[in-house]
Amino acid sequence: MELSVKVNDCKECIYRSWAFKNLSDDELKLINSRKKEKFFRKGELVCLEGDTVTSFLYLQTGLVKLYKTESNNREHIISIAKPMDFIGLLSIFSNTVHVYSITAIEDSIVCLVDLEVIKNLIKTNGVFAIDFFEKISKVADSVIKTRVDINTRQLRGRIAYILLHFSKHIYNSSKFNLPISRKEVAELIDMSTENVIRVLSEFRKDKIIQIEGKNIEILDIKRLEKIYDLG
Amino acid sequence: MELSVKVNDCKECIYRSWAFKNLSDDELKLINSRKKEKFFRKGELVCLEGDTVTSFLYLQTGLVKLYKTESNNREHIISIAKPMDFIGLLSIFSNTVHVYSITAIEDSIVCLVDLEVIKNLIKTNGVFAIDFFEKISKVADSVIKTRVDINTRQLRGRIAYILLHFSKHIYNSSKFNLPISRKEVAELIDMSTENVIRVLSEFRKDKIIQIEGKNIEILDIKRLEKIYDLG
DNA sequence: TATATATTATGATATATATCATAAGTGATA
DNA sequence: TATCACTTATGATATATATCATAATATATA
């Protein structure tokens, strides 16, 4: 179910990415006329793998997961995207269809801009083109880096990674509410659900973290960082 | 040691990527005047992680590996790039320094184009900007896809992947000379060297492949594909 | 050519991780 | 409220994978 949201004017939009800083007022107006802000309730699908890419997707608020559904119906999460991320990743250039499915894992607002408008601006405003490529490249580069970081570590290192990631890069707090289930954590960092639970319990017993359901508090960040560093 | 190579004029260059198809003769001339083709012998370093990115790097012939050196001095190969790939990946937009080191794993010719020239062309020729980003996005997307493909499979599936990859996408032949050592295969698909050797031997015993040192021939591609599909 | 070094190879063993089994807790829903 | 499905939890066991040990080749280097 898509609810209507307060409509932001691009020019005044507080969620606007720095990648749009070199657009003129007229260009922002153009985007404004061809964009739509959509609200997605936690759990709602934003787009499905295989859908035709017609819009540039920008996450204003909330959190979404990017994932693929394997042939055995298991999901494999590629990335958790945060506000200001270009959540369609490189598909807008590399493909005519979305490579990943996207689902909101928290109530989220996604701004959809007609892809043709973005491509035309890239063609006509060279400085914007460079800015835009810089931003999208950074997002994609960080996806690659994360995949490698995770897969070169073993279980404890992966759990440490995900805890530090949520704490430092998403919630900026040592205390946070994990937005995904242990099963989804498992799908994100390539391990079994049982082992996710087990390692979390281990960290709890070692007083590295405190757990109350989905509420997690990092008690000993130094040790967590050490576990992450050692792999 | 960099040897001089026959200098190709960009306009006539048989190695040119389709991403450059919408450049005028003058624009190609500009690139031509600011490019350098360098020969790298097998094993030679093309660039080092951390080096400032000053050129757009394009692989004309040969093969190179993109890798990171871990703190424990172990190498982790991110990707094997083939002719026509943009081997600097997204670093040219996302970073001022190279994120990966690059080394030739076969005698290779890399064309280095002054990055400023490329960026200026992106700014002034919008159609080229789109073409260029389509290409670079495809290369980067395929890196992500490959990482996921590898890490969602277990050992036999990974070896099957790498054999099929070399056969289908790099050499277009069921018979080929593996350009990297078993150790490097291990670094590429995240497994131990011993297990790479073991699984290859297993495949040999099962008459799926034939091995003579680095010379490999796929005898039963159907079974190899099945092993890959099953993970 | 001789020597050192790296690669390929295989078996034995240790370790990491997944799977299976079971149960308590939680949340959705009829 | 009662029922059902899902999540969290933990222990036991099976499996996958890495590591260790050793040796035979192959390759590089003095």
Side-chain angles (χ1 to χ4, degrees):
Chain A
M1 171 190 35
E2 293 158 11
L3 299 180
S4 61
V5 273
K6 178 185 168 301
V7 175
N8 291 294
D9 187 294
C10 292
K11 197 179 172 214
E12 316 295 338
C13 182
I14 57 168
Y15 305 117
R16 204 173 68 212
S17 163
W18 54 261
F20 294 84
K21 67 178 183 294
N22 284 305
L23 291 180
S24 69
D25 286 1
D26 278 353
E27 288 169 325
L28 281 176
K29 254 185 210 159
L30 176 64
I31 291 186
N32 197 55
S33 70
R34 302 289 291 277
K35 72 111 168 51
K36 208 172 165 181
E37 289 158 284
K38 282 192 190 170
F39 176 81
F40 293 91
R41 198 172 292 285
K42 178 175 177 152
E44 265 187 294
L45 190 72
V46 176
C47 75
L48 198 61
E49 186 183 345
D51 281 355
T52 304
V53 183
T54 56
S55 305
F56 159 69
L57 303 178
Y58 181 72
L59 185 61
Q60 286 187 352
T61 66
L63 281 181
V64 300
K65 62 174 177 180
L66 278 59
Y67 59 100
K68 282 178 96 76
T69 306
E70 310 290 337
S71 49
N72 52 6
N73 255 332
R74 286 173 69 168
E75 282 182 9
H76 188 242
I77 301 178
I78 306 302
S79 168
I80 304 284
K82 55 181 193 302
M84 314 254 274
D85 277 352
F86 291 7
I87 59 179
L89 289 188
L90 300 169
S91 295
I92 59 176
F93 293 111
S94 68
N95 259 286
T96 54
V97 298
H98 284 286
V99 181
Y100 307 113
S101 299
I102 305 178
T103 289
I105 56 173
E106 280 187 358
D107 290 356
S108 301
I109 298 175
V110 176
C111 183
L112 298 90
V113 185
D114 187 335
L115 188 56
E116 279 314 302
V117 171
I118 296 288
K119 287 200 172 173
N120 277 325
L121 286 173
I122 286 171
K123 284 183 195 158
T124 54
N125 181 339
V127 182
F128 168 68
I130 296 285
D131 289 343
F132 190 87
F133 290 168
E134 182 182 336
K135 172 71 183 178
I136 200 169
S137 293
K138 280 184 171 158
V139 174
D141 244 1
S142 116
V143 170
I144 299 177
K145 184 178 177 333
T146 300
R147 293 322 315 167
V148 172
D149 274 358
I150 287 172
N151 288 307
T152 50
R153 285 175 165 75
Q154 50 195 56
L155 304 197
R156 288 166 56 86
R158 291 186 208 172
I159 294 289
Y161 166 83
I162 206 72
L163 292 173
L164 291 169
H165 179 73
F166 276 113
S167 167
K168 286 185 179 176
H169 302 298
I170 298 193
Y171 295 113
N172 299 307
S173 162
S174 65
K175 215 170 173 173
F176 56 88
N177 188 280
L178 196 67
I180 53 179
S181 69
R182 314 296 199 254
K183 180 160 171 280
E184 286 172 306
V185 172
E187 289 165 348
L188 175 59
I189 59 183
D190 296 328
M191 53 192 278
S192 70
T193 307
E194 293 93 326
N195 278 334
V196 170
I197 293 166
R198 225 183 296 268
V199 174
L200 283 173
S201 298
E202 235 178 275
F203 285 0
R204 174 169 46 70
K205 284 172 198 153
D206 292 348
K207 305 220 186 308
I208 297 169
I209 58 173
Q210 194 176 323
I211 312 178
E212 270 180 70
K214 289 212 165 38
N215 289 308
I216 292 184
E217 181 176 7
I218 298 180
L219 301 174
D220 192 343
I221 195 167
K222 288 257 177 289
R223 245 167 105 201
L224 206 52
E225 280 166 345
K226 204 165 192 175
I227 292 168
Y228 169 74
D229 286 336
L230 294 177
Chain B
M1 166 192 41
E2 292 159 12
L3 299 179
S4 61
V5 274
K6 179 188 168 301
V7 176
N8 290 294
D9 187 293
C10 292
K11 194 176 173 216
E12 315 296 337
C13 182
I14 57 169
Y15 305 118
R16 204 173 68 215
S17 164
W18 54 260
F20 294 84
K21 67 177 184 293
N22 285 306
L23 291 179
S24 69
D25 285 2
D26 279 352
E27 289 170 324
L28 281 175
K29 254 186 209 159
L30 177 63
I31 292 186
N32 197 55
S33 69
R34 303 287 293 278
K35 73 107 168 53
K36 208 171 165 182
E37 289 159 283
K38 282 191 189 169
F39 176 83
F40 293 91
R41 199 172 291 284
K42 178 176 179 151
E44 265 187 295
L45 190 71
V46 176
C47 74
L48 198 61
E49 188 183 345
D51 281 356
T52 304
V53 182
T54 55
S55 305
F56 159 69
L57 303 178
Y58 181 72
L59 185 61
Q60 285 187 354
T61 66
L63 281 181
V64 300
K65 62 174 177 180
L66 280 58
Y67 60 101
K68 280 177 99 73
T69 306
E70 309 290 337
S71 48
N72 51 7
N73 255 332
R74 287 173 68 169
E75 282 182 9
H76 188 242
I77 300 177
I78 305 301
S79 167
I80 303 285
K82 55 180 194 300
M84 316 255 275
D85 277 352
F86 292 6
I87 58 180
L89 290 187
L90 300 169
S91 294
I92 57 176
F93 294 112
S94 68
N95 260 287
T96 54
V97 298
H98 284 286
V99 181
Y100 307 112
S101 298
I102 304 178
T103 290
I105 57 173
E106 279 187 357
D107 290 357
S108 301
I109 299 175
V110 176
C111 184
L112 298 88
V113 185
D114 187 335
L115 189 55
E116 280 315 301
V117 171
I118 296 289
K119 287 200 174 175
N120 277 325
L121 285 173
I122 286 172
K123 284 183 195 157
T124 53
N125 182 337
V127 182
F128 168 67
I130 296 285
D131 288 344
F132 188 86
F133 222 68
E134 181 180 336
K135 173 71 183 178
I136 201 169
S137 294
K138 280 183 171 160
V139 175
D141 244 1
S142 117
V143 170
I144 298 178
K145 185 179 176 332
T146 301
R147 294 320 317 166
V148 172
D149 274 357
I150 287 172
N151 288 307
T152 51
R153 285 177 165 74
Q154 50 195 57
L155 303 196
R156 288 166 55 86
R158 292 185 207 173
I159 293 290
Y161 166 83
I162 206 70
L163 291 172
L164 290 169
H165 180 73
F166 276 113
S167 167
K168 286 185 177 175
H169 302 298
I170 297 193
Y171 295 112
N172 300 307
S173 163
S174 65
K175 216 170 173 173
F176 56 89
N177 188 281
L178 196 67
I180 54 179
S181 69
R182 313 295 199 255
K183 179 159 171 280
E184 286 172 307
V185 171
E187 288 165 351
L188 175 59
I189 59 183
D190 297 328
M191 53 193 278
S192 69
T193 308
E194 292 95 326
N195 278 334
V196 169
I197 293 165
R198 226 182 296 269
V199 173
L200 283 172
S201 298
E202 235 178 274
F203 285 1
R204 175 171 44 72
K205 283 171 199 154
D206 292 348
K207 305 218 187 308
I208 297 169
I209 58 173
Q210 195 175 326
I211 312 177
E212 269 180 71
K214 290 211 165 39
N215 289 306
I216 292 184
E217 180 176 6
I218 297 180
L219 301 173
D220 192 342
I221 194 165
K222 287 257 178 291
R223 246 169 103 199
L224 206 52
E225 281 166 344
K226 204 166 193 174
I227 291 168
Y228 169 74
D229 286 337
L230 295 178

